[in-house]
Amino acid sequence: MTMINRSCSWDGISREVIEKLESIPREAFMSAHLSSFASVDSPFSIGYGQTISQPFIVAYMTDRLQLKSTDRVLEIGTGSGYQSALLSLLASHVYTVERISELSLRAEQTLEELGYHTISYHTGDGKQGWPEHAPYDKIIVTAAAAELPLQLVGQLKRGGSMIIPLGPAGEVQYLYHITRDLQGEVQTRPLIPVRFVPLL
Ligand code: SAH
């Protein structure tokens, strides 16, 4: 369990999401030399030029997904596995894709040891999604794409939704909420400005 010292207002994020987030020992997902910063509401390096996301962003994105306990979720960008842990506490199964095999393996080890067992891992290009298990009720992307990857939209169920940061690397990006209605029509809506590592 890690109580987060909030660096901004978390108003509007559901109690359930915050409680589940704080039930996760964040230090287990961080490098040993940074673990004393686990309660700090900022991103930190996890090696390979990547970061564990800021807890506020993890909570915010998860909240906006409105997860149901029956949902099957696709996550692109496993990273440390911290976000995957939270998703697994709120959905029925998480399929997580990471480009860097070392990070994927490390996340899997950490999550298995901590008892998060409803997660499947794949190393590969997340822009292709994970077609074998599609379609998904919800999709979450934790690296910023220059434009919406259409393969991912294609793997979203009708009535499903996706949250993804979009925008050029190093510049202001926005989190977008993408919904696919029952007719298959896609709608996109910007939420808040963010800064993510690029989706490569
Ligand atoms: N949710 C993670 C944050 C990870 S940072 C956490 O809480 O720790 C984003 C991750 O996306 C990085 O690990 C990076 O390697 C990965 N990534 C970047 N481009 C990718 C791609 N095309 N496919 C899959 N993963 C990718």
Side-chain angles (χ1 to χ4, degrees), residues 176-193:
Y176 278 80
H177 191 244
I178 316 280
T179 50
R180 195 169 188 208
D181 68 19
L182 296 174
Q183 284 69 48
E185 296 266 334
V186 175
Q187 297 208 341
T188 67
R189 193 162 61 89
L191 299 172
I192 54 170

Side-chain angles (χ1 to χ4, degrees), residues 142-173:
T142 69
E147 39 194 87
L148 186 60
L150 292 181
Q151 304 265 31
L152 292 183
V153 180
Q155 291 175 32
L156 191 59
K157 261 191 200 163
R158 290 186 175 203
S161 65
M162 162 154 83
I163 189 130
I164 179 171
L166 292 174
E171 287 176 45
V172 176
Q173 306 146 354

Side-chain angles (χ1 to χ4, degrees), residues 68-156:
K68 294 199 200 85
S69 57
T70 50
D71 280 349
R72 294 165 63 258
V73 183
L74 174 67
E75 178 191 37
I76 306 304
T78 314
S80 68
Y82 180 60
Q83 169 82 71
S84 326
L86 179 59
L87 297 170
S88 79
L89 293 174
L90 293 157
S92 80
H93 200 90
V94 179
Y95 297 87
T96 187
V97 182
E98 169 58 52
R99 192 175 64 89
I100 300 172
S101 59
E102 290 87 346
L103 285 178
S104 178
L105 271 173
R106 194 164 77 192
E108 180 172 1
Q109 269 170 12
T110 306
L111 287 159
E112 280 295 324
E113 268 169 31
L114 291 172
Y116 301 98
H117 299 306
T118 52
I119 306 174
S120 303
Y121 304 84
H122 175 64
T123 298
D125 177 10
K127 290 193 293 297
Q128 309 303 316
W130 193 346
E132 286 79 359
H133 301 286
Y136 302 95
D137 299 286
K138 307 283 162 64
I139 299 180
I140 178 169
V141 184
T142 69
E147 39 194 87
L148 186 60
L150 292 181
Q151 304 265 31
L152 292 183
V153 180
Q155 291 175 32
L156 191 59

Side-chain angles (χ1 to χ4, degrees), residues 1-4 18-29 35 38-39 82 89 114 116:
M1 174 170 131
T2 305
M3 305 297 281
I4 306 297
I18 296 176
E19 279 173 11
K20 294 263 157 69
L21 181 83
E22 292 193 325
S23 77
I24 302 167
R26 189 173 183 234
E27 59 279 1
F29 299 88
S35 60
S39 65
Y82 180 60
L89 293 174
L114 291 172
Y116 301 98

